[in-house]
Amino acid sequence: MALKKYFEYNQANESISKYKLLSAYGGPGSILHTSYGSIIISCIEEWGFLKKVLDIQKEAIEAGKRDKEINNYVKEQANLERNGSIGISNDSRLLEMLKQRKGLMELKYLVLIPDIEVQTFSNKIKSDGNTLAINSSYMPKVFADESNHYRTYKEWYKDWLDKDKKQGERESETTNRFFPPKFKKQNGFVGNLIQDNIVLICEHGHISDFPWAKFLRWRNDSPGEIYSDLPVDLFSSLPCCGSDDKITANIKISSSTANASGFDGKWIKCENCGRQTSLKGLMTVKIKCSGHKPWEASTSHNGELKYHSGNKDSRNQTPPLENCASNKPMKVALTTGNNLYYARSVSSIYMPDELFLSDALLKKKELEMEMELAKEENRFDDCIRINNEIRLIDNEIEKQSFDETTDVEKDIIYRYEEFKVLSIKSEDLINIDKVNEDLKVKDVTKNLDGTKFSKYFSRILRIDNMKLTTAQLDFSRVVPVDSDADGIISKNIFRSKAESIRVYPVVENYGEGIFFAFDIELINDFSKNNSAIDSINEKLSTLKRNSDTFSEGAIQFGLDNNWQLYLVHSFAHLIMRELEFKCGYPTSSLSERIYVSNDLRNNMYGFMIYTAEGAEGSMGGLIAQTRPDNLNKLITNALERAKICNSDPLCWESDGQGLFELNFASCFSCSLVSETSCEHRNIYLDRRILVDEESGFFKDALNNV
């Protein structure tokens, strides 16, 4: 629950979980609901703890420290209590990936979002006044009084100041009393304003307040255009009265006497010019995108948060904007809608450099360390020699670069690095980092020796400890950026040029899990003359022929990864569901990490089931299932339960169910898990490919052959 604090003049802030600030539905540009209204989270340039890290880096540079000294200085100083105990991630693999993926070539630090507890009235943390808070501004910026008169925050604020100035009040005093937004009644009493809940959103990530005064004029001047398929350029139009610079509209929205629900029963009127109209059909209005980016507004005031409102520019009705390339109209949405924000994130399992770096990169790392030592000792000839060697390595790496590959291919390559380490490297080598123990495993493959399942898996690991670091790449609105919607353009979480970004926020989780790697030769043999595979291919081809714009991408992903994805993903779900019976953990406390690729260069078939700190499975119960007796029973029972579903025979014989009909013999009764646990939106599932008596992958084991 959000932590609420009151101070002088009823100032307030809320402490919000770092996992909510960086999640599938939270991050820069997202709308969060607080006790004081809905707010939009500012871009990372406005995040106080990131500014603090940059200040520390500036101190080190001004003190004349070298590159390596600067890094160590920043990490040590940021972690001090007086600086907010800010942590710096050591996941160099994720750092390098973000550099390449987002073009952040000057990125130096992955900064952990700290647990911020508000202790002073102006977003300042702790008694020494470090401004570590994550800034935001109201969204929407339209508020109504008790009589349903609608004005922008800026207008209400100006009205408040004007009335106080008449009484001789100073702005600094009256500003504090305005928060949360208030209005003055005629009898002198004060009432709280009610925030509007309507916004306009665009597929390219833009978001705007609804322009009520402009809408009213348009509906009166062109009443028939609401039925047109062409979007209206409402933001370039004039308001019902006055102008954009001098607003004189006095908008009031009231309920009509007619027996109608929703906006069909609402009426909008300007009490200044007399224009009025019904709000019927409001949710289907087609409005040309404004290009507004309110999360990029500067919220700080001269480097600090002087008042609750920060920089007055963040209160303006017109936020930063850009030309929108979309030819589709904006969507009218509620601030409680689930289509306002879709974050695209990437997660990384921490691995020491020695486990995943190529020989060339390891050599380059050694040379860079030699270079630093040579600089300190003023050995200039050695510096020149080492620099030439580094250039040769860089040229070789550049030839092998995968810059021309797609984002999907880069994701596969990145995940293959993890799979290769977990499935091939020796246990002692994986546990090489004895200091931090951010990755600690135990090979338990032998626990299946002598059982009917031993031939199916090349490796099974008990993961006693691992660190999972998550960073947000970008976000979209209306539809997810990784969906198949046509022409989606995501928005960055920063407003600066990519080459100037030096710090990036991340979240770390520690957990435990079980890793399964299938025997690749057995999977290749299984592909020969198999009716279960033929059935999946035939169903996917039928779906492809009948696909629409929205489902095309998801279906194509299933075709690209083929039956192997169905096999691995379905088995992962069965194991998670069985853990519910064996350990009592709800699947919502578990997560999966799927490793599937048919590319010969990155060929992999496996998965990991893990749980993060704080969840039910994070106290040893999950890894206890890898003991010799438990592991065999876990797999046996999971497959036996999959033979029967409460929805059979409808489920078993299904030609398509679930999202985009991409599930076959799988439903909530037998195979689906919590949405938060599944990487693939609970699709690409079919238990027949695993347990069919005649053609299932595990048919020999289940038939006791």
Side-chain angles (χ1 to χ4, degrees):
M1 180 177 292
L3 179 64
K4 184 167 61 177
K5 298 263 184 176
Y6 291 92
F7 303 98
E8 186 181 8
Y9 304 129
N10 200 30
Q11 294 298 301
N13 280 300
E14 291 193 4
S15 181
I16 299 175
S17 168
K18 59 187 177 183
Y19 303 109
K20 192 174 181 180
L21 285 165
L22 196 65
S23 67
Y25 301 101
S30 67
I31 289 182
L32 295 182
H33 299 276
T34 71
S35 302
Y36 312 100
S38 57
I39 58 173
I40 188 165
I41 303 299
S42 299
C43 53
I44 62 174
E45 285 89 343
E46 298 291 308
W47 290 22
F49 71 93
L50 293 179
K51 291 181 180 180
K52 188 66 179 177
V53 173
L54 289 175
D55 289 341
I56 295 172
Q57 184 194 42
K58 185 178 179 181
E59 290 176 7
I61 294 173
E62 291 176 349
K65 297 184 180 295
R66 299 180 183 272
D67 289 345
K68 187 176 181 180
E69 293 176 329
I70 291 174
N71 288 339
N72 292 334
Y73 180 85
V74 170
K75 292 175 182 178
E76 292 172 1
Q77 293 296 313
N79 201 37
L80 296 178
E81 186 176 357
R82 70 169 184 267
N83 289 325
S85 302
I86 304 170
I88 307 293
S89 173
N90 63 342
D91 195 330
S92 59
R93 193 167 71 100
L94 179 59
L95 180 73
E96 290 301 319
M97 188 274 284
L98 287 172
K99 282 184 176 182
Q100 300 296 328
R101 183 80 172 267
K102 300 293 293 181
L104 310 176
M105 302 316 294
E106 293 300 319
L107 183 62
K108 301 294 184 185
Y109 311 103
L110 300 180
V111 186
L112 306 182
I113 300 178
D115 292 313
I116 300 175
E117 181 175 331
V118 178
Q119 295 185 356
T120 61
F121 77 89
S122 58
N123 275 350
K124 295 183 179 178
I125 314 305
K126 303 186 182 298
S127 58
D128 60 3
N130 285 327
T131 52
L132 304 181
I134 295 170
N135 295 356
S136 63
S137 58
Y138 276 118
M139 188 70 196
K141 294 179 175 62
V142 176
F143 291 81
D145 61 13
E146 60 184 8
S147 301
N148 288 325
H149 288 96
Y150 279 63
R151 297 183 186 177
T152 65
Y153 186 105
K154 182 180 179 181
E155 292 174 290
W156 286 115
Y157 183 71
K158 184 177 183 302
D159 182 67
W160 179 271
L161 290 181
D162 290 344
K163 289 178 179 178
D164 271 8
K165 283 180 181 177
K166 292 179 181 179
Q167 301 175 4
E169 297 280 358
R170 290 184 300 176
E171 182 177 349
S172 59
E173 297 174 348
T174 189
T175 296
N176 288 328
R177 289 199 298 272
F178 180 69
F179 182 82
K182 302 178 181 67
F183 70 100
K184 291 189 176 180
K185 304 179 184 180
Q186 291 183 350
N187 58 12
F189 288 97
V190 172
N192 286 328
L193 292 169
I194 302 170
Q195 193 174 18
D196 192 14
N197 66 342
I198 299 291
V199 290
L200 292 167
I201 55 176
C202 162
E203 281 190 358
H204 288 2
H206 303 116
I207 185 169
S208 302
D209 292 301
F210 195 88
W212 292 109
K214 295 174 182 282
F215 170 80
L216 176 56
R217 179 164 189 159
W218 168 66
R219 288 290 288 120
N220 274 261
D221 293 351
S222 308
E225 284 190 9
I226 194 171
Y227 304 107
S228 173
D229 291 333
L230 297 175
V232 59
D233 191 2
L234 204 58
F235 286 93
S236 297
S237 305
L238 292 173
C240 60
C241 54
S243 63
D244 290 335
D245 296 329
K246 188 176 182 181
I247 301 172
T248 60
N250 188 9
I251 299 297
K252 181 176 182 179
I253 298 178
S254 57
S255 299
S256 67
T257 56
N259 185 19
S261 60
F263 289 106
D264 290 357
K266 298 286 186 181
W267 197 263
I268 181 172
K269 178 181 180 181
C270 176
E271 295 187 342
N272 185 44
C273 66
R275 288 184 172 91
Q276 56 184 326
T277 188
S278 169
L279 291 181
K280 184 176 181 179
L282 178 72
M283 300 302 289
T284 59
V285 172
K286 299 177 179 65
I287 299 175
K288 185 178 179 180
C289 181
S290 59
H292 287 160
K293 301 186 292 181
W295 66 92
E296 292 192 0
S298 296
T299 54
S300 58
H301 179 79
N302 294 332
E304 63 178 32
L305 294 172
K306 187 176 181 182
Y307 308 121
H308 71 274
S309 50
N311 191 323
K312 65 180 181 180
D313 291 335
S314 67
R315 306 194 294 262
N316 289 342
Q317 185 180 11
T318 304
L321 54 83
E322 67 181 1
N323 291 326
C324 182
S326 176
N327 57 2
K328 296 181 180 180
M330 300 187 84
K331 299 276 188 182
V332 181
L334 300 176
T335 55
T336 53
N338 60 5
N339 63 342
L340 263 63
Y341 193 85
Y342 296 102
R344 184 168 60 151
S345 300
V346 61
S347 58
S348 170
I349 295 176
Y350 169 77
M351 291 180 177
D353 293 346
E354 294 81 358
L355 294 181
F356 70 91
L357 289 182
S358 64
D359 292 340
L361 287 172
L362 285 173
K363 180 62 177 177
K364 178 182 176 181
K365 188 176 179 182
E366 292 178 4
L367 289 171
E368 288 174 342
M369 294 175 65
E370 286 184 30
M371 174 74 81
E372 288 295 321
L373 183 60
K375 286 180 180 179
E376 291 177 4
E377 297 176 355
N378 296 323
R379 291 184 282 111
F380 301 114
D381 291 340
D382 287 341
C383 287
I384 295 173
R385 175 185 56 79
I386 295 170
N387 188 57
N388 290 334
E389 291 183 32
I390 292 175
R391 283 184 178 180
L392 290 174
I393 294 175
D394 285 339
N395 291 336
E396 187 64 29
I397 293 173
E398 189 174 349
K399 292 178 183 178
Q400 303 171 359
S401 175
F402 55 82
D403 288 342
E404 299 301 321
T405 60
T406 65
D407 284 349
V408 173
E409 291 170 331
K410 290 177 182 178
D411 288 338
I412 291 173
I413 294 171
Y414 191 77
R415 192 158 290 200
Y416 179 68
E417 290 177 349
E418 297 174 2
F419 180 82
K420 187 168 60 174
V421 167
L422 296 174
S423 62
I424 298 175
K425 301 286 186 180
S426 69
E427 177 185 319
D428 291 338
L429 189 58
I430 295 176
N431 296 328
I432 193 172
D433 193 348
K434 303 294 185 182
V435 178
N436 296 316
E437 291 193 343
D438 289 333
L439 183 62
K440 185 179 180 182
V441 305
K442 176 70 176 177
D443 191 341
V444 294
T445 313
K446 63 181 180 181
N447 290 350
L448 282 183
D449 288 349
T451 71
K452 53 191 176 182
F453 294 112
S454 60
K455 69 175 184 178
Y456 292 96
F457 304 99
S458 61
R459 195 170 215 186
I460 301 177
L461 292 181
R462 184 189 78 200
I463 303 175
D464 295 327
N465 194 33
M466 71 173 190
K467 182 171 70 175
L468 193 74
T469 308
T470 303
Q472 183 178 342
L473 294 173
D474 43 40
F475 68 89
S476 65
R477 307 192 195 276
V478 184
V479 290
V481 69
D482 55 351
S483 78
D484 35 13
D486 187 31
I488 296 297
I489 297 178
S490 58
K491 283 285 172 284
N492 285 321
I493 64 175
F494 50 85
R495 63 171 178 248
S496 306
K497 292 182 179 179
E499 55 267 24
S500 63
I501 298 296
R502 291 179 172 81
V503 291
Y504 210 86
V506 297
V507 170
E508 283 184 351
N509 276 302
Y510 287 87
E512 60 186 47
I514 309 174
F515 170 79
F516 291 82
F518 285 89
D519 187 286
I520 291 182
E521 292 185 4
L522 197 63
I523 284 185
N524 291 336
D525 291 340
F526 179 67
S527 65
K528 302 171 183 176
N529 301 320
N530 190 286
S531 60
I533 294 174
D534 294 339
S535 175
I536 289 178
N537 291 337
E538 182 180 343
K539 291 173 182 177
L540 285 173
S541 298
T542 302
L543 289 172
K544 178 67 174 179
R545 288 193 297 271
N546 301 326
S547 64
D548 54 25
T549 304
F550 191 63
S551 63
E552 184 179 2
I555 295 171
Q556 188 60 49
F557 185 83
L559 284 167
D560 292 342
N561 291 279
N562 218 319
W563 58 269
Q564 291 93 337
L565 173 60
Y566 277 84
L567 189 153
V568 173
H569 193 212
S570 300
F571 187 68
H573 275 226
L574 296 184
I575 292 296
M576 278 195 282
R577 288 176 66 94
E578 185 59 27
L579 287 169
E580 283 190 305
F581 295 100
K582 300 285 286 184
C583 311
Y585 303 149
T587 58
S588 58
S589 68
L590 303 173
S591 298
E592 68 180 6
R593 197 166 178 85
I594 304 298
Y595 302 95
V596 173
S597 173
N598 295 319
D599 187 338
L600 294 178
R601 295 169 300 176
N602 307 297
N603 199 202
M604 56 180 173
Y605 304 112
F607 67 93
M608 179 192 298
I609 305 299
Y610 66 94
T611 184
E613 55 186 329
E616 287 87 343
S618 61
M619 299 184 70
L622 180 62
I623 60 177
Q625 298 307 311
T626 60
R627 295 169 183 166
D629 292 339
N630 291 348
L631 186 58
N632 184 52
K633 290 178 181 177
L634 176 69
I635 299 172
T636 301
N637 293 344
L639 295 173
E640 288 292 340
R641 291 184 199 277
K643 289 182 177 181
I644 302 174
C645 171
N646 291 336
S647 299
D648 283 341
L650 294 177
C651 178
W652 187 262
E653 301 294 338
S654 173
D655 289 329
Q657 54 186 320
L659 183 63
F660 308 135
E661 298 186 335
L662 280 165
N663 289 337
F664 305 129
S666 291
C667 67
F668 278 106
S669 299
C670 59
S671 307
L672 272 64
V673 298
S674 169
E675 290 285 351
T676 58
S677 301
C678 180
E679 284 194 319
H680 294 294
R681 296 180 285 179
N682 260 334
I683 55 178
Y684 311 120
L685 300 169
D686 180 15
R687 57 194 169 95
R688 288 187 66 170
I689 197 171
L690 297 172
V691 298
D692 187 276
E693 292 182 356
E694 297 180 357
S695 57
F697 184 68
F698 290 100
K699 67 179 188 301
D700 292 345
L702 295 176
N703 293 333
N704 295 316
V705 174

